[in-house]
Amino acid sequence: MTALAGPTADAFWAASLRRWNAVCWLLFAMMAVGLTTIDRPGGSKYTALALLGSVVLCYAVLDRFPDNPVVRPYVYLSVLVVALGGLAYLRGNYAALFMVTLPHYWMFGRTPKASMGFLGLATAGTLIGSVLRQDGWSVEFFSETLVSTLIVVAVGVLIGLWAHSVVAQSAERARLIDELERTQAQLSEAHQRQGAADERERMAREIHDTLAQGFASIVVLAEAARAGLHSDTARSAQQLRSIESTARENLAEARELVGSAQQQGQAAAGSVAQTLRRTLDRFAEDTGLTVDADLRELACDQQTRIALLRCTQESLANVRKHARASTVGVVLARQAYGVELEITDDGTGFVVGEAAGFGLDGMRKRLAELGGRLTVTSSMGDGTRVMALIPLASQAPGESGAET
């Protein structure tokens, strides 16, 4: 078993040592008074006083200056072993000192192996000293000294091992608690970092799906209006009005994003079919493309409406920028497994596996947050089909037929 360390073990031994201090000092004083006033003068008396004095001095230094470089715990225990053996040889009243100092082997030994080693040496020393004092083995030695000493030592060993077990468990609990607190702190920091990263990604997706698309629309409309200023002033005027309207919508979206509002822009107003209808009308007006819409009235939550709107806006933006299409079809329907949004065009198409960009990835992530999925089917020269599916818990009330 390794040494017990840490604040829990140190606090246990410090508290135990304080409790025994008063008893030890009282016993030291009583033994010193007894040796000085009661015993007859002689060499054994002064030798006993010297042995007791060495124990008292080492204990006082260790108690007063625990970090001193000379009297270390093992030095004190060694002096105690020698003193007990000497007092057992010189006198018969060593038992009180032996019992009172018994906890010191566990307090200062710090490990069961070292504690039991010093306790074994002290036991052997006292028994040998008693045998020498009695001039050999005797019935009295076996019946009184040996039996009582072994009983005291056995009790001391059991108590010491129990105390070490308690301290070991306390130290392990303290270590586990400290490790748990560190792990919780690390998890909290990781969650905060992940939350910040998720929020940055969400903001980037919202900016891409709203402000960036609006600005792209403004740029396209401005270029078209400038090209038709002299040839088609009516068309240019309409495009300028669309630019103004789009700019106002972008301003409203920017305010929503800055305010971190849960209800975001047009998605909060009206049903999902009405919201998509306004978006499609604006797209047809700005691009001149034919839009064939079959939009069923659906009752769904706000997040689902926002996801359907953003997928529609991103798909239409891709048609505007890349498809070179003449017709766009949009179908919104309620199926047994959820809400289904299909957007098709008759444009040039593309290779899905080679597509790179933020738009499709953003749509996939947005739908995944709601448990949905995005399927994109396309090939060169054969148009594109975008299918968004969002599962709903149950059939929503208030659904009606198609709106065209």
Side-chain angles (χ1 to χ4, degrees):
M1 183 175 179
T2 58
L4 297 178
T8 303
D10 293 339
F12 177 87
W13 292 125
S16 302
L17 190 58
R18 285 194 298 270
R19 295 188 187 100
W20 280 95
N21 264 343
V23 179
C24 288
W25 288 118
L26 179 62
L27 178 64
F28 291 155
M30 292 175 61
M31 290 188 66
V33 170
L35 288 173
T36 302
T37 60
I38 298 176
D39 283 8
R40 298 187 305 272
S44 62
K45 172 182 178 178
Y46 298 120
T47 303
L49 282 172
L51 291 173
L52 179 61
S54 64
V55 173
V56 172
L57 178 62
C58 290
Y59 185 69
V61 172
L62 189 59
D63 180 56
R64 182 66 177 173
F65 308 102
D67 296 327
N68 77 90
V70 178
V71 182
R72 304 304 301 153
Y74 285 0
V75 173
Y76 166 70
L77 292 178
S78 300
V79 172
L80 182 59
V81 167
V82 174
L84 284 173
L87 290 174
Y89 173 72
L90 296 174
R91 315 185 54 77
N93 57 351
Y94 68 92
L97 179 64
F98 184 80
M99 287 187 291
V100 171
T101 58
L102 195 61
H104 290 185
Y105 297 99
W106 301 99
M107 293 178 183
F108 297 113
R110 306 308 298 272
T111 68
K113 183 176 180 180
S115 300
M116 293 181 67
F118 280 105
L119 182 57
L121 291 175
T123 303
T126 55
L127 293 176
I128 293 173
S130 297
V131 169
L132 295 177
R133 180 173 57 82
Q134 296 177 10
D135 296 325
W137 307 95
S138 65
V139 176
E140 180 183 357
F141 170 78
F142 281 104
S143 62
E144 297 180 4
T145 304
L146 179 62
V147 173
S148 60
T149 300
L150 292 179
I151 291 175
V152 170
V153 171
V155 172
V157 169
L158 292 177
I159 294 175
L161 291 176
W162 171 81
H164 264 276
S165 175
V166 169
V167 173
Q169 293 176 1
S170 299
E172 179 64 15
R173 280 197 299 270
R175 185 189 67 80
L176 292 176
I177 291 173
D178 183 64
E179 182 177 345
L180 178 61
E181 290 176 347
R182 290 198 305 270
T183 302
Q184 289 176 336
Q186 293 172 355
L187 286 176
S188 177
E189 293 177 0
H191 287 164
Q192 290 177 356
R193 291 194 298 269
Q194 184 61 43
D198 291 343
E199 181 62 15
R200 286 194 298 270
E201 182 178 350
R202 186 191 72 82
M203 290 296 294
R205 189 167 62 231
E206 293 296 338
I207 291 172
H208 175 272
D209 292 347
T210 57
L211 301 182
Q213 300 294 0
F215 288 134
S217 178
I218 289 173
V219 170
V220 172
L221 289 170
E223 291 175 348
R226 184 177 57 188
L229 279 177
H230 303 291
S231 60
D232 191 352
T233 56
R235 178 64 176 171
S236 297
Q238 176 59 41
Q239 290 166 338
L240 289 174
R241 286 192 294 271
S242 295
I243 290 174
E244 178 184 359
S245 177
T246 303
R248 292 183 184 277
E249 292 172 1
N250 262 23
L251 180 60
E253 292 283 1
R255 287 171 176 166
E256 292 288 344
L257 293 175
V258 170
S260 298
Q262 293 299 319
Q263 305 296 324
Q264 299 183 28
Q266 294 181 351
S271 69
V272 62
Q274 294 171 347
T275 301
L276 296 185
R277 167 56 64 190
R278 289 193 296 267
T279 301
L280 295 175
D281 289 344
R282 174 63 57 78
F283 174 79
E285 180 181 338
D286 292 345
T287 62
L289 300 182
T290 300
V291 177
D292 182 12
D294 181 7
L295 307 177
R296 184 174 297 275
E297 285 290 354
L298 301 171
C300 55
D301 57 53
Q302 178 68 5
Q303 293 303 315
T304 300
R305 290 205 300 272
I306 293 173
L308 293 172
L309 173 61
R310 299 308 183 217
C311 288
T312 302
Q313 290 173 329
E314 176 62 26
S315 297
L316 295 179
N318 289 335
V319 171
R320 182 200 300 267
K321 290 184 291 186
H322 308 297
R324 300 176 189 172
S326 60
T327 303
V328 176
V330 180
V331 177
L332 175 67
R334 173 66 187 262
Q335 305 294 345
Y337 42 80
V339 177
E340 188 177 82
L341 174 66
E342 181 184 41
I343 303 172
T344 59
D345 68 71
D346 59 355
T348 58
F350 65 100
V351 179
V352 178
E354 298 178 359
F358 189 84
L360 291 177
D361 186 57
M363 282 196 288
R364 289 192 178 93
K365 290 182 178 179
R366 185 185 292 277
L367 294 175
E369 291 174 357
L370 300 176
R373 66 177 184 272
L374 181 75
T375 303
V376 180
T377 305
S378 182
S379 60
M380 298 301 296
D382 198 23
T384 301
R385 175 177 177 268
V386 176
M387 177 72 74
L389 172 64
I390 302 177
L392 294 180
S394 60
Q395 182 73 17
E399 297 180 359
S400 62
E403 175 191 325
T404 57

